[in-house]
Amino acid sequence: MTGIPKTHPRYHSLIARENIVEGVNKGITSMQGLVAQGRGECFDYLLGERTVPSALLAEKITSALLLLADRPVISVNGNTSALVPEKMVELASVTGASLEVNLFHRTEERVSRIISHLESFGATRVLGARGDGRLDLEHARAIVDQEGIYSADVVLVPLEDGDRCQKLVEMGKTVIAIDLNPFSRTSKTATLTIVDNVSRAMANMISYSQQFEKYSQEELEEIADHFDNSTFLSEAVGELMENLKNQ
Ligand code: ATP
Ligand code: MG
C-alpha cells in the first residue's frame, strides 16, 4: 500500500482507492469494481464529500427499519467487502441482520474468499455460498440463499444494480440502496436510497443503531414512518446543484 499521510486533504478518498486496489489484488473485488468506485468518487466530489442532511435522515430511518425487521439482510459485494468489511460486520451485529455475499461477477472462489475475509473481521456466519434460491434475473445476481435474501423482509443493498433492486422490490421487500448516484436506476427503484458514500453511511448507521437499541417498537416505527424516496433523491440533487453553483 502507498503511504498516504493522514494530513492529506483527500485522505479518505485515497485510502478507499488503496483498499479497492488491494481488494482486486486479494481476489475479492472485480476489475469492474474499480470503475464503479470511480463513478462513485465523481458523485461524492459533486456532493462535497460529506453526508448531506437528507442522507443522514435516510440513514436514521434505515437503522430503525433494520431493527424493526423480522429477517433483515445486508447484501455484500466485492467493493463493499474491500471498503467496509469491519463496518458491515458491526452493523449486522448491532441490528441482528444476516450478511449475504451476492456478486454480479460471481465465481464460487470469490464468494468463499469474501466469506473468509469477513470472518477475519469477526463475522460468525456469512450466507451466500449455498445459492439455493433464484430471483427471476438472467445474471449471476439471481443466485441467492433461501434463508437469506430470498426470504428477507428488509434488504440493505450497498452499490446494487438496478434490475436486481427492482426484482427485490417486486417481491414485496423493503429495499434500501446506498448509492452516491441519485440518477441511477438503483436509486430510483429502491424503497429508500441513501445518497452517501458507503463508508460514511455505514459509520452513521452503526451509531444510530447503537443509540436505538433500547428504543421500543413504537419509537422505532415513528422514526421509520412515512418516507418518500423521491424526496430524498431530489434533495440530494438539490445539494449537488447548490454545490456546483457555489464553485
Ligand atoms: P444502475 O443502478 O443505473 O443499474 P449500475 O448499477 O450499472 O447502474 P454501477 O456502476 O455498476 O452502476 O454501480 C455502482 C454504483 O455505486 C454507482 O452508481 C456509483 O455511484 C455507486 N458507488 C460506487 N462507489 C460507491 C461508494 N463508495 N459509496 C456509495 N456509492 C458508490
Ligand atoms: Mg446501481
Side-chain angles (χ1 to χ4, degrees):
M1 206 187 239
T2 316
I4 298 166
K6 277 208 153 167
T7 48
H8 193 290
R10 306 206 52 263
Y11 175 79
H12 293 289
S13 170
L14 295 175
I15 288 290
R17 265 189 205 183
E18 292 293 325
N19 287 337
I20 283 277
V21 169
E22 208 174 285
V24 173
N25 290 337
K26 281 186 188 157
I28 57 175
T29 307
S30 68
M31 294 281 268
Q32 291 83 345
L34 297 171
V35 182
Q37 171 70 12
R39 189 189 286 179
E41 277 185 6
C42 179
F43 278 102
D44 209 7
Y45 231 118
L46 294 175
L47 282 163
E49 294 179 308
R50 72 205 153 105
T51 300
V52 299
S54 56
L56 191 64
L57 178 60
E59 287 153 9
K60 184 177 180 183
I61 294 172
T62 301
S63 307
L65 287 170
L66 288 171
L67 288 165
L68 281 167
D70 290 325
R71 300 180 68 89
V73 175
I74 300 171
S75 186
V76 177
N77 70 9
N79 281 43
T80 53
S81 46
L83 292 172
V84 283
E86 210 165 0
K87 292 189 179 107
M88 285 192 296
V89 172
E90 195 172 353
L91 184 65
S93 145
V94 193
T95 59
S98 302
L99 292 167
E100 177 168 336
V101 180
N102 181 271
L103 306 175
F104 189 78
H105 303 281
R106 182 185 175 108
T107 65
E108 297 319 304
E109 195 189 340
R110 206 149 77 79
V111 173
S112 73
R113 281 211 183 123
I114 292 177
I115 293 176
S116 311
H117 183 64
L118 294 174
E119 284 170 349
S120 76
F121 286 93
T124 46
R125 191 157 164 270
V126 183
L127 305 174
R130 190 172 286 178
D132 55 353
R134 283 289 175 285
L135 308 180
D136 183 19
L137 292 169
E138 283 174 7
H139 52 71
R141 280 203 130 169
I143 306 168
V144 293
D145 277 21
Q146 281 277 356
E147 63 167 312
I149 289 172
Y150 193 84
S151 55
D153 53 351
V154 175
V155 192
L156 176 63
V157 289
L159 284 50
E160 179 61 44
D161 57 73
D163 51 349
R164 188 173 78 124
C165 184
Q166 183 158 8
K167 206 46 75 182
L168 295 170
V169 171
E170 280 167 15
M171 289 169 83
K173 302 177 193 302
T174 298
V175 183
I176 304 143
I178 304 174
D179 194 332
L180 277 159
N181 176 5
F183 306 106
S184 75
R185 287 180 304 141
T186 303
S187 295
K188 288 180 180 157
T189 23
T191 320
L192 178 63
T193 302
I194 298 168
V195 184
D196 198 4
N197 193 303
V198 69
S199 173
R200 296 191 300 264
M202 285 286 169
N204 291 336
M205 289 192 289
I206 291 167
S207 320
Y208 275 126
S209 304
Q210 283 166 339
Q211 189 187 322
F212 294 166
E213 255 181 329
K214 294 206 168 63
Y215 280 32
S216 68
Q217 179 159 340
E218 288 71 29
E219 285 171 305
L220 293 174
E221 278 168 355
E222 209 164 299
I223 294 165
D225 197 25
H226 291 317
F227 57 83
D228 175 4
N229 191 40
S230 62
T231 60
F232 285 89
L233 296 182
S234 38
E235 281 179 37
V237 174
E239 293 281 352
L240 199 149
M241 307 232 303
E242 271 308 301
N243 217 24
L244 284 174
K245 271 195 262 167
N246 295 333
Q247 289 305 307

